[in-house]
């Protein structure tokens, strides 16, 4: 396997998933060209592109070790297929249109190596389809950085990872894989779930918060291309119901206790029954309020909507109080 140019870094494999991505490829390859020499291997996974994507990559992607694979459409199934072929210690998923700098890749690799992490997360900047910057959106990592006062790469303790995964009610602890790094062996053993539509990485963070070692790197050195949400309303409803955090977490906790990822003392310190009750209350109120907002009548004129909104806010406040208590008990 070719050695990266900076041999002080651990070995890196890069997975490039594509599906009719030809318009984005010139800019994507230009961005990759800034740091791809740091990678020991590249795996391209194409989902039956018909617009010349694969042909363009074969001609213009320059790396001494590139593997081309074909996989049926499916976001996380394609990612898993690519990761399964990587032999390097860590893997980065270079989703088409999303970019990361050389400094960013180096920071993620050094943090993963120095802190002995399985997953390293960071925050991207946001761009629209016209390549224009978007406002500095809230992102799950912002919550972690603020609560823990993170000023340098930092490893999360197990209970910190679990409580932050539980409390990411507006997003998932992983944020975007465009700005994350993963330990290859772990992702082969615990692949991304494929039954949650476009929220598979969010579900993964809930399922494995107690099993993976998370690291956080502050700063912006990647960008995320914001696409319109895809899928039909029926598909989105199915995915929303399947990905309800309380159901995912309940199943995860049962597994963690069976396999020893969470012991009795840690379970008690998490106030788990109370935490799950409050999370369920929040999700029930949120679901009801979201339904009110989708109705024809403006929600501000609907007394039921105000009731559900207040219930959601009360549950949020109780969850935040629980989080403070749990973090203070570490």
């Amino acid at each position: 396997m070719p050695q990266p140019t900076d041999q002080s870094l651990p070995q890196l494999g890069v997975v490039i998933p594509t599906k009719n991505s030809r318009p984005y490829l010139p800019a994507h390859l230009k961005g990759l060209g800034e740091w791809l020499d740091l990678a020991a291997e590249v795996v391209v996974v194409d989902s039956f592109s018909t617009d010349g994507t694969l042909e363009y990559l074969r001609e213009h992607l320059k790396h001494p070790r590139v593997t081309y694979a074909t996989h049926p459409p499916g976001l996380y199934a394609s990612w898993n297929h690519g990761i399964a072929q990587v032999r390097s210690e860590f893997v980065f998923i270079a989703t088409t249109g999303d970019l990361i700098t050389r400094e960013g890749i180096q920071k993620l690799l050094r943090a993963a190596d120095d802190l002995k992490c399985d997953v390293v997360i960071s925050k991207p900047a946001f761009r629209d389809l016209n390549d224009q910057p978007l406002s500095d959106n809230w992102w799950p990592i912002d919550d972690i950085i603020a609560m823990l006062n993170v000023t340098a790469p930092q490893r999360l303790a197990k209970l910190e990872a679990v409580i932050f995964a539980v409390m990411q009610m507006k997003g998932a602890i992983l944020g975007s894989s465009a700005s994350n790094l993963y330990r290859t062996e772990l992702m082969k053993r615990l692949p991304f779930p494929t039954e949650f539509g476009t929220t598979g990485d969010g579900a993964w963070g809930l399922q494995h918060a107690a099993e993976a070692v998370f690291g956080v790197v502050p700063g912006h050195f990647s960008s995320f291309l914001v696409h319109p949400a895809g899928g039909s309303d029926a598909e989105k409803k199915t995915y929303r119901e399947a990905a309800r955090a309380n159901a995912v977490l309940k199943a995860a906790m049962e597994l963690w206790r069976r396999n020893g990822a969470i012991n009795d003392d840690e379970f008690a310190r998490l106030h788990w029954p109370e935490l799950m009750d409050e999370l369920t209350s929040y999700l029930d109120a949120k679901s009801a309020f979201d339904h009110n907002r989708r109705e024809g009548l403006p929600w501000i004129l609907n007394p039921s909507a105000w009731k559900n909104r207040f219930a959601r806010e009360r549950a949020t406040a109780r969850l935040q109080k629980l989080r403070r208590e749990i973090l203070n008990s570490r």
Side-chain angles (χ1 to χ4, degrees):
M1 184 179 297
Q3 293 297 313
T5 55
D6 186 344
Q7 296 190 26
S8 67
L9 297 172
Q11 279 200 335
L12 172 68
V14 177
V15 172
I16 305 176
T18 61
K19 179 187 176 185
N20 289 333
S21 307
R22 176 65 181 79
Y24 303 109
L25 291 180
H28 193 59
L29 292 186
K30 181 180 179 182
L32 286 173
E34 296 180 5
W35 57 265
L36 203 59
D37 60 288
L38 299 175
E41 57 184 321
V42 178
V43 178
V44 175
V45 182
D46 184 70
S47 294
F48 304 145
S49 291
T50 58
D51 66 346
T53 289
L54 202 51
E55 292 80 3
Y56 188 92
L57 286 170
R58 288 185 184 278
E59 181 178 354
H60 297 281
L61 178 59
K62 306 301 181 184
H63 191 273
R65 188 169 187 273
V66 182
T67 301
Y68 290 92
T70 300
H71 192 274
L75 180 66
Y76 298 105
S78 294
W79 290 13
N80 292 337
H81 186 69
I83 292 168
Q85 299 177 61
V86 171
R87 293 187 290 166
S88 300
E89 184 176 5
F90 292 98
V91 61
F92 178 76
I93 303 167
T95 44
T96 309
D98 301 325
L99 301 171
I100 190 167
T101 65
R102 186 181 186 89
E103 176 192 17
I105 286 289
Q106 291 171 323
K107 282 180 176 288
L108 294 178
L109 281 166
R110 289 198 176 102
D113 195 37
D114 293 345
L115 301 175
K116 309 304 179 191
C117 295
D118 298 316
V119 181
V120 181
I121 60 176
S122 67
K123 180 179 179 177
F126 301 88
R127 299 162 24 246
D128 64 21
L129 292 177
N130 296 316
D131 202 31
Q132 297 301 305
L134 297 172
S135 59
D136 187 23
N137 297 6
W138 177 93
W139 208 237
I141 193 174
D142 292 329
D143 199 26
I144 299 172
I145 288 173
M147 288 289 294
L148 300 182
N149 192 28
V150 178
T151 58
Q154 181 171 321
R155 173 172 164 160
L156 297 183
K158 184 194 300 183
L159 294 192
E160 290 174 340
V162 172
I163 193 60
F164 280 115
V166 172
M167 287 294 295
Q168 297 307 335
M169 296 173 290
K170 295 187 292 183
I173 189 172
L174 294 184
S176 165
S177 288
S179 51
N180 298 344
L181 186 74
Y182 301 96
R183 187 176 297 275
T184 307
E185 181 277 328
L186 179 81
M187 300 311 297
K188 289 181 178 181
R189 181 165 54 86
L190 303 173
F192 289 107
T194 58
E195 66 269 32
F196 300 107
T198 59
T199 63
D201 40 2
W204 190 96
L206 291 172
Q207 290 173 330
H208 305 301
E211 297 168 294
V213 178
F214 288 81
V216 177
V217 177
H220 291 164
F221 32 75
S222 62
S223 63
F224 177 68
L225 188 65
V226 178
H227 295 270
S232 68
D233 289 343
E235 288 173 331
K236 291 174 187 176
K237 182 176 185 293
T238 298
Y239 295 144
R240 281 196 303 269
E241 292 173 351
R244 286 243 327 175
N246 55 346
V248 175
L249 282 163
K250 182 177 184 294
M253 179 55 77
E254 291 171 356
L255 178 62
W256 296 341
R257 298 198 76 184
R258 284 200 305 270
N259 66 18
I262 289 284
N263 60 38
D264 290 343
D265 176 64
E266 292 165 333
F267 183 79
R269 287 160 60 196
L270 280 169
H271 303 282
W272 190 257
E274 184 181 0
L275 192 63
M276 287 296 294
D277 285 346
E278 297 296 356
L279 180 61
T280 300
S281 296
Y282 166 83
L283 291 169
D284 287 345
K286 179 182 183 301
S287 178
F289 180 57
D290 288 346
H291 176 74
N292 294 143
R293 295 180 67 181
R294 291 192 295 269
E295 292 176 325
L297 183 72
W299 74 266
I300 58 174
L301 303 178
N302 184 346
S304 177
W306 282 104
K307 177 183 176 182
N308 292 323
R309 185 174 185 267
F310 287 141
R312 185 194 65 177
E313 299 309 313
R314 287 195 299 271
T316 298
R318 291 193 296 265
L319 280 167
Q320 290 172 339
K321 180 175 182 291
L322 264 177
R323 176 174 61 179
R324 288 192 296 270
E325 292 175 359
I326 293 165
L327 289 175
N328 289 337
S329 72
R330 290 168 294 158

